[in-house]
Amino acid sequence: MKTVGFIGLGVMGQSMVRNLMKAGFEVQAYTRTKEKAADLLAEGVRWCDSVEAVCQNADAVITIVGYPSDVESLYFGDGMILQSAEPGTLVIDMTTSSPLLAERIAEAAIDRSLLPLDAPVTGGDVGAKNGTLSILVGGGEYAFTKARPLFEAMGQSIERMGYAGSGQYGKLANQIAIAGIMMGNAEMLAFTKRAGLNPDQLRQTIRGGAAGSWTLENLVPRMIVEDYAPGFFIKHFLKDMKLALESANQLNIKLPSLELAHKLYSILEENAYGENGTQALIEYYMHQDV
């Protein structure tokens, strides 16, 4: 396997492409806004003018875009991935998307002799840059084995969770956990500040105990200095939580903490925080009249 077609060059996608190139893969890319690809093109990525073109002569086609509607439009229809990829091609969606959509894509892909995988990631912008993403994969064992060198170029913890849709279910479970952790850390920090404590001193003190977490290490420092640059957009986290709530409804399980997190982040989005990183949740607690 040598050539990878890549669609989606956002915060995550750009770093993932760089790590694929470091591992020796040739990358040809397409994104709706060519300007986003300028740095990568200068580094050796080949630009394609269409979805059809990015699929040509590709051993694998990877997508990581914004919303399930974006995924659906890329895979289905004239000139799109399922029609344009050659038989035997790996088609890997790494967007956090709908498990039911992943199942639909897999069924249609198999009918066209393609090798489908849903493989959403977690680890944020830091994990994408460092090649240490966790990758949760749904799909067949053969496709997973064939795709493993690609995943190893981009991630560190790589697990096949089951058949089509299982990767998406795994990622939504991850987002459910994150939602609670984000609320807990934001509440901790707001309480610390109101109590007159030094927040970074407290963070350093508790990091080795039961409160220690990736969020405490990577996002709480950003909360403290009010750095809300997006490693992961609030608007995309809201999309993920909505997908998780929809899946929970289908699975007949109530998730009250997730419902609360979705409500709080929705308030922030309504007040123009949607383009900020998820750490901006602290703004709700520090200014509850936002």
Side-chain angles (χ1 to χ4, degrees), residues 11-12 15 19 123-133 214 218 222 231:
V11 172
M12 302 290 286
S15 293
N19 285 323
D125 57 334
V126 175
K129 182 177 180 179
N130 295 335
T132 57
L133 293 168
W214 185 94
N218 293 279
R222 299 188 197 184

Side-chain angles (χ1 to χ4, degrees), residues 21-32:
M21 294 173 68
K22 286 177 186 176
F25 295 101
E26 295 179 3
V27 179
Q28 53 194 42
Y30 168 78
T31 190
R32 287 179 295 189

Side-chain angles (χ1 to χ4, degrees), residues 181-200 202-203 206 216 219-221 223-226 228 264 279-288:
I181 292 168
M182 290 299 297
M183 286 192 298
N185 277 279
E187 290 181 9
M188 174 276 295
L189 182 55
F191 180 87
T192 299
K193 288 186 173 183
R194 292 290 175 88
L197 303 178
N198 181 312
D200 196 58
L202 181 74
R203 186 190 72 84
I206 68 174
L216 188 70
L219 294 185
V220 170
M223 291 182 185
I224 291 172
V225 299
E226 300 180 7
Y228 304 144
L264 300 186
Q279 67 273 20
L281 180 61
I282 187 62
E283 286 293 300
Y284 172 83
Y285 291 98
M286 296 305 295
H287 311 286
Q288 294 189 21

